Amino acid sequence: MKKLWRCSVCGYKMEGAEAPEKCPKCGASHDQFVALSDEEAKKVYDSYVTNDIHMEIVTLVEKILHLAREGEEINLDPGCLHIFKKAQEDGYVLKEMCKAEIAGHISKGKW
Ligand SMILES: [Zn+2]
């Protein structure tokens, strides 16, 4: 039966019937791996999709911030400037919220 294993040295996780011979990330030996409980593994699996969504949102917001800065530099008129400044302010908040949420997931083993 497959289990979810975590390297106790670096946190790398992988599925398998047995722990790997060594950690692909840090090279720690087989005995450094611990099997996650079903409850811990469920947290990890449940968070895979939402963590990816948060990371995608951060990437998209970076594009918005770049465009908004470009638009601000052009400074066509007050209406444009207002939108570009608001996009930067709101984008920053959204990006930091997503990053904080991911950090919270990591601290609770949902990674
Ligand atoms: Zn490792």
Side-chain angles (χ1 to χ4, degrees):
M1 186 177 144
K2 270 191 195 175
K3 292 180 180 172
L4 189 59
W5 300 88
R6 184 182 61 229
C7 173
S8 62
V9 175
C10 74
Y12 182 88
K13 288 189 271 313
M14 63 184 303
E15 285 184 329
E18 301 291 332
E21 283 305 307
K22 68 177 191 174
C23 178
K25 181 175 181 293
C26 75
S29 61
H30 175 85
D31 60 345
Q32 294 294 314
F33 275 83
V34 292
L36 299 185
S37 70
D38 290 346
E39 185 181 345
E40 290 171 321
K42 184 178 184 327
K43 281 184 189 176
V44 171
Y45 291 130
D46 286 351
S47 68
Y48 277 170
V49 176
T50 56
N51 286 337
D52 286 350
I53 291 170
H54 287 302
M55 290 190 293
E56 182 67 22
I57 289 172
V58 168
T59 300
L60 292 171
V61 168
E62 279 297 328
K63 290 179 184 173
I64 291 169
L65 293 175
H66 175 79
L67 290 170
R69 282 191 291 268
E70 189 179 323
E72 185 180 17
E73 282 180 24
I74 295 168
N75 194 10
L76 179 64
D77 57 46
C80 279
L81 201 56
H82 173 73
I83 291 168
F84 294 140
K85 284 182 184 267
K86 182 150 178 51
Q88 289 177 74
E89 292 165 10
D90 292 354
Y92 178 83
V93 170
L94 184 57
K95 185 173 83 168
E96 291 305 314
M97 286 172 62
C98 287
K99 288 162 56 179
E101 186 65 17
I102 292 170
H105 289 177
I106 293 169
S107 72
K108 294 172 186 165
K110 299 179 205 169
W111 184 251

